[in-house]
Amino acid sequence: MFLCNKTLLATIFTGVLLITGCDQNTPKATTEKSQVAKEDTLVVARAGFKTKIIETNFEGDSAPITPPAEVFNLIHYPAKDGAMAAFITPDPKDNVKHPAVIWLVGGYGGIGSDDFFWAEQPKDNDQTGSAFRKAGITMMIPSFRGENGNPGRYEMFYGELDDLESARSWLASQPWVDANRIYVVGHSTGGTRALLASELSDKYRAVFSLGGIPDLKKRIEGGKMMVNVPFDQTNPQEFKLRSPQFFISSIKVPTFYFEGEEYYWSEFDEIKASAKAQHIPLQVYKINGGDHFNIITPVSETIAKKILSDTDSKTSISFDATDIKSIESNIHH
């Protein structure tokens, strides 16, 4: 599993900062206009497009190992290309419908073939989403096409979104899950997938992105990737349909973006202003004193509390200045 690696964050070479290992930005101001505008919905744009995959040498993680039964079950959810591996917390068998979080891990390769998701992780870089299962929330961690021995080919932020919808549908069908209270939370690569998922579907209760990127083309041009780009890079539409900033008007469910100030993409300032002007349910938060990793635990713990109290017919989740200050005060360095 090519997770975001804090020890490989940056290499300085001829004055250029190269980011390795995950979907995060070069931490510098962006001066060019990002052209946030109201366009066709992402659903419509994808419906008339077929991605061209030209790089097929991606090697995802091998099949996941069997987790401790009291922590996770290893399951395979049905998707278009075949059965896909995922971890899910056990059925509590209490005859109660529970809220559920789909945790989208950062990096590339899948959900690993080791004990990463149930081993103890440092609080300043816990990429397992453990705050949700520790809070007693049902938690699913899916892998996607081309990963973990799954069928299909890796497409980098495209076909994987179809797999995510398949994972959501499977999760909603489980007898102990409240199908009306399924949330998506993603970090880094997973944070980008979360934003795109919010633009593609209104079936989630709310969506949370921790450190997703606005524009894949700028991400690729701004730093070294740990995996080869699989699609035809001569076609601008291939990039656009994988870049959340161009389709924010597609967002219909409450969506929240968090990133530490050290790695905050300046494009999100314009996205935030555009969302406010168009009454799009997207909130953007730059976390003072935070980076791409140390925000994960305090933000996730805060989200978990919000989810547990989100019991009305429609979501009531919001974050005020007190919530953000609390997150900032609980950052581990």
Side-chain angles (χ1 to χ4, degrees), residues 24-322:
Q24 62 192 81
N25 60 302
T26 302
K28 61 180 181 179
T30 300
T31 56
E32 59 188 279
K33 193 77 170 175
S34 60
Q35 299 179 2
V36 175
K38 190 169 183 178
E39 308 231 0
D40 286 340
T41 67
L42 184 54
V43 172
V44 170
R46 282 171 54 110
F49 183 81
K50 182 175 177 59
T51 187
K52 183 178 180 181
I53 302 300
I54 59 176
E55 170 60 66
T56 59
N57 293 324
F58 173 81
E59 292 187 12
D61 300 332
S62 57
I65 63 173
T66 301
E70 70 276 11
V71 182
F72 286 113
N73 292 324
L74 172 61
I75 62 93
H76 291 81
Y77 66 91
K80 180 180 178 181
D81 290 337
M84 308 285 177
F87 295 130
I88 187 168
T89 51
D91 177 356
K93 299 186 184 301
D94 55 5
N95 295 316
V96 174
K97 294 281 189 178
H98 293 267
V101 162
I102 301 176
W103 173 257
L104 304 179
V105 68
Y108 304 93
I111 58 176
S113 54
D114 55 22
D115 65 351
F116 177 78
F117 284 102
W118 50 92
E120 195 67 27
Q121 302 294 330
K123 285 195 172 183
D124 66 345
N125 186 17
D126 184 357
Q127 299 179 46
T128 68
S130 64
F132 300 103
R133 65 177 176 83
K134 289 177 180 178
I137 299 170
T138 293
M139 180 181 179
M140 181 183 188
I141 309 174
S143 63
F144 303 113
R145 58 187 62 193
E147 303 173 341
N148 293 112
N150 297 335
R153 297 189 302 184
Y154 175 66
E155 296 185 6
M156 188 176 279
F157 304 124
Y158 199 77
E160 293 83 2
L161 276 300
D162 297 324
D163 299 336
L164 176 56
E165 170 54 25
S166 296
R168 185 210 61 79
S169 180
W170 180 89
L171 183 61
S173 71
Q174 302 312 300
W176 73 95
V177 171
D178 184 345
N180 295 316
R181 294 176 68 199
I182 294 178
Y183 307 80
V184 171
V185 189
H187 171 247
S188 198
T189 301
T192 304
R193 287 171 171 165
L195 288 174
L196 291 167
S198 181
E199 295 172 344
L200 280 172
S201 176
D202 61 0
K203 295 179 180 178
Y204 300 105
R205 176 87 162 187
V207 174
F208 308 86
S209 171
L210 283 60
I213 61 170
D215 186 335
L216 180 58
K217 192 172 192 294
K218 289 181 180 178
R219 165 65 185 90
I220 290 171
E221 291 174 344
K224 182 179 178 182
M225 302 288 287
M226 282 195 71
V227 295
N228 292 331
V229 176
F231 56 83
D232 178 10
Q233 296 184 64
T234 67
N235 184 353
Q237 193 73 349
E238 293 276 13
F239 287 101
K240 185 176 182 180
L241 295 180
R242 293 168 166 87
S243 300
Q245 78 172 65
F246 298 109
F247 297 95
I248 64 164
S249 61
S250 298
I251 294 175
K252 299 296 187 293
V253 299
T255 301
F256 305 89
Y257 178 83
F258 303 86
E259 178 61 296
E261 62 176 339
E262 186 177 346
Y263 292 98
Y264 181 80
W265 288 84
S266 60
E267 285 85 352
F268 276 102
D269 289 335
E270 186 182 349
I271 289 170
K272 181 177 182 179
S274 183
K276 183 177 181 180
Q278 298 181 50
H279 304 288
I280 297 165
L282 170 64
Q283 299 294 319
V284 175
Y285 302 98
K286 178 165 61 175
I287 306 302
N288 294 324
D291 62 30
H292 193 62
F293 302 94
N294 63 17
I295 69 165
I296 303 172
T297 295
V299 170
S300 296
E301 289 175 346
T302 302
I303 293 171
K305 291 176 183 177
K306 299 284 185 180
I307 288 173
L308 290 174
S309 62
D310 184 32
T311 58
D312 295 336
S313 58
K314 292 184 178 180
T315 184
S316 57
I317 290 179
S318 64
F319 298 84
D320 59 22
T322 300

